[in-house]
Amino acid sequence: MKNITLNVQGMSCGHCINSIEGSVGQLEGINQVNVKLNDAQVEVTFNESQVSLDKIKETIEDQGYEVK
């Protein structure tokens, strides 16, 4: 398992948390997703052999947020 912290812009409320945690959490190979709204960060634990970092970023961006 790999742990990463992504800086994500555009998150502002509980809906943002649910949107990101829900969409990323449904990807195969995701173990844990934790949105830190106040820090504008998303922590993800995932299996690199099942899902790529690019796919995780793409999924967040598809929800309307910007990954820095």
Side-chain angles (χ1 to χ4, degrees), residues 15 31 34 43 55 65:
H15 172 74
N31 186 46
N34 183 24
E43 294 179 343
K55 180 63 177 173
Y65 306 101

Side-chain angles (χ1 to χ4, degrees), residues 6-11 20 40-42 56-68:
L6 301 170
N7 294 312
V8 179
Q9 300 301 309
M11 302 183 300
I20 292 173
Q41 293 181 332
V42 177
I56 294 168
K57 290 179 179 180
E58 177 185 311
T59 301
I60 294 170
E61 290 171 347
D62 285 349
Q63 296 300 311
Y65 306 101
E66 184 180 354
V67 179
K68 296 274 186 178

